[in-house]
């Protein structure tokens, strides 16, 4: 369940400054891209409802690569995904507190690895577009290649120690959003993607869920 808004929210600033041909519109998936992305799947990951594990998909890649390519491109073209991709085996993982309270458990959804393969292809295309046009702030460390929580902390530590050396006071506020990904309104997300030059089939594919 995602946050549903009656209003679309504030209009985000249009950050993309390239030409229309530079927009990420049509994404064509070929067999080489499917194989390349398939190799990124972790073999130890559990399968979803369809019971197709990454290891099995890799073993039969020569037989499935063409059908997968057809399915992925058709999904992008129509914006409609197979129903099996929307189903999941849900396992509750205990976090803390009273074990009798459902809110103290985090649900882990085991979804189709084929769907994850499609999502990775779309995600990689979007990230490459954002990086190429410098649409991601340098202060963003999470979910970026070559960056992590550690690089974020090291950057912060460097600024904090520099201020301390100069005798400049610094206030720090730490925020932790509960169920952050469940709180993303889809209308605002779509507006953000459009403002970053992502449109057409790629926009549909990135919001297939």
């Amino acid at each position: 369940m995602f946050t549903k808004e009656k209003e679309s929210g504030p209009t985000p600033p249009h950050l993309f400054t390239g030409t229309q041909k530079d927009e990420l519109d049509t994404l064509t998936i070929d067999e080489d891209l499917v194989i390349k992305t398939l190799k990124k799947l972790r073999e130890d990951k559990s399968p979803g409802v369809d019971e197709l594990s990454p290891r099995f998909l890799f073993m039969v890649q020569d037989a499935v690569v063409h059908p997968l390519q057809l399915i992925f491109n058709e999904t992008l073209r129509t914006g409609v995904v197979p129903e099996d991709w929307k189903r999941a085996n849900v396992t509750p993982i205990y976090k803390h507190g009273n074990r009798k309270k459902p809110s103290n458990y985090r649900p882990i959804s085991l979804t189709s690895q084929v769907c994850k393969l499609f999502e990775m292809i779309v995600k990689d295309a979007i990230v490459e577009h954002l990086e190429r046009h410098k649409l991601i702030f340098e202060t963003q460390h999470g979910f970026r290649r070559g960056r992590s929580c550690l690089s974020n902390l090291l950057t912060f530590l460097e600024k904090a120690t520099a201020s301390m050396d100069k005798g400049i006071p610094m206030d720090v506020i730490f925020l932790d959003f509960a169920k952050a990904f469940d709180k993303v309104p889809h209308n605002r997300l779509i507006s953000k993607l459009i403002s970053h030059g992502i449109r057409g089939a790629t926009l549909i594919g990135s919001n297939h869920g």
Side-chain angles (χ1 to χ4, degrees):
M1 293 293 293
F2 288 84
T3 300
K4 295 183 179 180
E5 293 183 311
K6 293 182 180 179
E7 304 293 336
S8 59
T11 302
H14 194 78
L15 300 179
F16 180 73
T17 58
T19 64
Q20 185 174 357
K21 72 174 185 177
D22 293 326
E23 293 179 337
L24 183 58
D25 189 335
T26 302
L27 174 62
T28 302
I29 301 174
D30 58 27
E31 293 185 7
D32 289 339
L33 181 58
V34 175
I35 291 294
K36 179 182 176 181
T37 310
L38 179 59
K39 292 179 179 179
K40 296 180 182 180
L41 290 177
R42 287 179 50 181
E43 292 189 3
D44 60 338
K45 286 295 183 179
S46 300
V49 177
D50 56 15
E51 298 185 354
L52 297 176
S53 68
R55 180 171 298 175
F56 175 76
L57 290 172
F58 187 78
M59 290 173 60
V60 299
Q61 58 181 295
D62 292 338
V64 301
V65 61
H66 184 61
L68 289 178
Q69 178 210 7
L70 295 177
I71 293 172
F72 292 164
N73 281 306
E74 185 67 7
T75 297
L76 282 172
R77 187 184 70 82
T78 63
V80 178
V81 300
E83 287 298 320
D84 282 351
W85 290 9
K86 301 178 183 179
R87 300 169 59 199
N89 294 325
V90 181
T91 302
I93 302 298
Y94 173 72
K95 295 190 299 183
H96 55 72
N98 189 339
R99 290 182 178 270
K100 295 182 179 180
K101 290 186 177 182
S103 59
N104 290 333
Y105 289 79
R106 179 164 59 95
I108 300 296
S109 298
L110 301 178
T111 55
S112 170
Q113 293 294 328
V114 174
C115 180
K116 291 184 183 297
L117 184 61
F118 173 75
E119 291 174 342
M120 288 173 65
I121 292 173
V122 175
K123 184 267 293 183
D124 288 346
I126 291 176
V127 170
E128 195 277 332
H129 168 80
L130 297 176
E131 295 279 5
R132 184 172 70 253
H133 294 284
K134 302 185 184 304
L135 294 169
I136 302 180
F137 292 115
E138 287 301 312
T139 52
Q140 172 69 34
H141 286 255
F143 308 102
R144 295 187 68 183
R145 182 177 299 175
R147 303 194 185 197
S148 63
C149 292
L150 177 60
S151 65
N152 184 21
L153 289 172
L154 290 174
T155 301
F156 165 76
L157 182 61
E158 183 177 352
K159 291 184 178 181
T161 53
S163 295
M164 291 177 61
D165 291 340
K166 296 177 181 178
I168 302 174
M170 174 182 287
D171 294 323
V172 180
I173 300 175
F174 292 93
L175 299 176
D176 185 11
F177 295 97
K179 298 182 179 180
F181 290 101
D182 296 339
K183 301 293 185 182
V184 178
H186 278 191
N187 287 337
R188 293 199 194 191
L189 176 59
I190 292 172
S191 297
K192 283 277 189 177
L193 290 171
I194 293 174
S195 73
H196 286 68
I198 300 169
R199 299 177 181 272
T202 308
L203 179 66
I204 295 174
S206 62
N207 290 279
H208 74 272

